[in-house]
């Protein structure tokens, strides 16, 4: 445990907060998906100029490294009211590593697609952009670019912890995340309710804020919790994926570095409980809505067959398979199904101008 804690401190970079505890145990199924996804995620992080450790943590938090992840309620199918691009019914159109909904995915493809070899990306319709939904490299690229944006936003508004910044902007959306951070900068003891009510002049907006607070009691309590305390908790939630961050940073560093020790991580009996934000920030961004209440959405009138994605003219390269970073050892094998994954929520990833 001591060696693992030392490694976390040694490899932490950028504005991420230092951890004083060893990485949390991980599940065998998460580890298996990480081994499959990390090449895409690390390559994308490097190309976008993002700390691969932060990239690993947000991908773990959002989808458990599952490129086909979708917020499907297996216990109550009536809540699955939205038809995904591939015909599956789900609680939203959120999909893949970053759990972007269709409109956010379209915006990211328009903004960055041509950088990754997608011709005509800047004028693509939602349906055209969805042709790239199942491309794992493009998924990782869009998540990396979005993560880079969110780190920049967080630092601009005074956030000192990149983990918490990424959590806030990816899940709360630009508008509410900005309110939390600017409120914290002006008065760290300001309550979450007071911060989120900044600029809320209509009854509808005030009701929305109260719904956000009720849906995120693990973060905000009854709304009286301070913004600084809520922000700290956001960072702690992200750092539940620290074991993967260590491995990602070690992979980038390379196995030839003699200072990169192995990390033995016990596999947890059950997945860690995470209660991410529930938001509906419609004024400045898309928003994150979680399971507590069914989203009010209307499924498309008819299903459409998913189109095959065209070839990408400039595919991303990935690290050599011969490279290896910090090794995560499985001590106990366990099973897992969708019910205990962290994708039982609707993530939209709020965008800003």
């Amino acid at each position: 445990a001591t060696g693992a804690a030392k490694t976390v401190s040694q490899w932490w970079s950028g504005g991420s907060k230092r951890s004083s505890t060893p990485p949390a145990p991980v599940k065998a199924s998460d580890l298996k998906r990480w081994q499959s996804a990390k090449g895409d995620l690390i390559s994308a992080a490097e190309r976008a100029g993002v700390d691969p450790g932060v990239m690993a943590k947000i991908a773990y938090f959002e989808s458990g490294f599952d490129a086909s992840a979708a917020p499907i309620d297996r216990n109550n199918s009536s809540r699955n009211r939205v038809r995904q691009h591939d015909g599956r019914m789900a609680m939203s159109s959120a999909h893949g590593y970053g759990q972007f909904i269709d409109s956010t995915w379209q915006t990211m493809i328009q903004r960055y697609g041509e950088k990754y070899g997608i011709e005509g990306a800047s004028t693509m319709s939602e349906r055209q952009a969805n042709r790239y939904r199942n491309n794992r490299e493009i998924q990782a690229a869009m998540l990396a670019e979005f993560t880079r944006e969110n780190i920049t936003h967080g630092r601009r508004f005074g956030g000192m912890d990149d983990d918490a910044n990424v959590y806030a902007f990816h899940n709360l959306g630009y508008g509410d995340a900005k309110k939390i951070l600017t409120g914290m900068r002006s008065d760290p003891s300001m309550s979450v309710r007071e911060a989120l009510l900044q600029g809320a002049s209509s009854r509808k907006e005030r009701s929305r804020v109260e719904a956000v607070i009720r849906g995120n009691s693990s973060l905000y309590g009854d709304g009286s919790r301070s913004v600084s305390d809520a922000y700290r908790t956001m960072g702690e939630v992200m750092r539940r994926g620290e074991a993967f961050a260590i491995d990602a940073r070690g992979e980038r560093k390379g196995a030839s570095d003699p200072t990169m020790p192995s990390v033995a991580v016990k596999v947890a009996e059950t997945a860690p409980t995470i209660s991410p934000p529930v938001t509906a920030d419609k004024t400045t961004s898309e928003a994150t809505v979680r399971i507590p209440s069914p989203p009010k959405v209307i499924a498309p009138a008819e299903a459409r067959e998913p189109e095959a994605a065209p070839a990408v003219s400039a595919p991303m390269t990935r690290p050599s398979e011969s490279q290896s970073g910090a090794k995560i050892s499985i001590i106990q094998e366990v099973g897992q199904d969708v019910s205990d994954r962290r994708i039982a929520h609707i993530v939209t990833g709020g965008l800003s101008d």
Side-chain angles (χ1 to χ4, degrees), residues 141-163:
M142 297 304 104
L143 178 58
E145 297 290 354
F146 191 53
T147 298
R148 178 184 54 76
E149 288 184 0
N150 291 338
I151 289 173
T152 299
H153 293 325
R155 291 179 180 180
R156 186 173 74 193
F157 296 120
M160 301 297 290
D161 180 357
D162 285 346
D163 289 341

Side-chain angles (χ1 to χ4, degrees), residues 205-256:
E205 180 62 12
R206 289 192 293 272
S207 295
R208 184 196 69 81
V209 168
E210 293 302 325
V212 169
I213 293 171
R214 287 194 303 271
N216 293 280
S217 58
S218 63
L219 276 178
Y220 305 145
D222 61 0
S224 62
R225 191 175 191 178
S226 71
V227 287
S228 58
D229 192 27
Y231 181 78
R232 176 186 57 77
T233 301
M234 292 176 191
E236 291 174 350
V237 168
M238 280 280 284
R239 283 185 279 280
R240 292 173 184 174
E242 187 58 38
F244 303 109
I246 294 171
D247 193 35
R249 291 171 181 138
E251 188 86 3
R252 179 178 63 176
K253 189 71 174 177
S256 61

Side-chain angles (χ1 to χ4, degrees), residues 180 190-196 213 220 223-227 230:
I180 292 289
M190 178 185 293
S191 72
V192 168
R193 175 176 285 103
E194 187 179 358
L196 293 179
I213 293 171
Y220 305 145
S224 62
R225 191 175 191 178
S226 71
V227 287

Side-chain angles (χ1 to χ4, degrees), residues 38 246-247 250-251 254-255 260-262 323-327:
K38 72 176 181 178
I246 294 171
D247 193 35
E251 188 86 3
M260 191 67 215
S262 296
Q323 288 182 318
S324 61
K327 297 179 180 178

Side-chain angles (χ1 to χ4, degrees), residues 261-300:
S262 296
V263 180
V265 181
K266 291 185 178 180
V267 178
E269 291 289 346
T270 58
T273 300
I274 298 177
S275 300
V278 173
T279 119
D281 181 9
K282 300 297 182 184
T283 58
T284 57
S285 66
E286 317 271 347
T288 300
V289 182
R290 307 292 183 192
I291 270 185
S293 61
K296 296 181 180 179
V297 292
I298 300 175

Side-chain angles (χ1 to χ4, degrees), residues 37-199:
K38 72 176 181 178
D40 297 326
L41 297 172
I42 294 171
S43 291
E46 291 175 345
R47 189 163 182 181
V50 174
D51 173 9
V54 176
M55 179 75 165
K57 282 182 273 192
I58 190 62
Y60 175 60
F61 176 71
E62 291 298 333
S63 65
F65 309 121
D66 186 350
S68 64
I72 299 173
D73 191 331
R74 305 291 184 186
N75 298 318
N76 184 359
S77 61
S78 67
R79 304 180 78 177
N80 301 320
R81 304 176 183 180
V82 177
R83 190 174 300 280
Q84 293 232 332
H85 70 285
D86 57 6
R88 291 182 297 172
M89 297 303 295
M91 293 186 296
S92 84
S93 57
H95 178 266
Y97 289 141
Q99 291 292 280
F100 294 132
I101 62 168
D102 285 345
S103 58
T104 303
W105 177 258
Q106 178 192 9
T107 300
M108 294 302 294
I109 289 291
Q110 289 177 338
R111 189 176 295 177
Y112 296 107
E114 292 185 10
K115 174 180 176 179
Y116 296 92
I118 301 176
E119 295 183 5
S122 62
T123 58
M124 279 190 169
S125 66
E126 183 177 289
R127 183 171 183 175
Q128 289 172 323
N130 277 347
R131 294 166 67 186
Y132 295 88
R133 278 291 215 172
N134 294 328
N135 186 314
R136 290 166 45 131
E137 291 186 346
I138 298 299
Q139 279 192 37
M142 297 304 104
L143 178 58
E145 297 290 354
F146 191 53
T147 298
R148 178 184 54 76
E149 288 184 0
N150 291 338
I151 289 173
T152 299
H153 293 325
R155 291 179 180 180
R156 186 173 74 193
F157 296 120
M160 301 297 290
D161 180 357
D162 285 346
D163 289 341
N165 292 341
V166 169
Y167 181 109
F169 283 92
H170 195 116
N171 292 279
L172 288 173
Y174 182 85
D176 280 350
K178 178 182 177 181
K179 289 177 181 179
I180 292 289
L181 286 172
T182 55
M184 185 173 67
R185 183 167 59 182
S186 63
D187 179 8
S189 65
M190 178 185 293
S191 72
V192 168
R193 175 176 285 103
E194 187 179 358
L196 293 179
L197 284 174
Q198 294 176 100

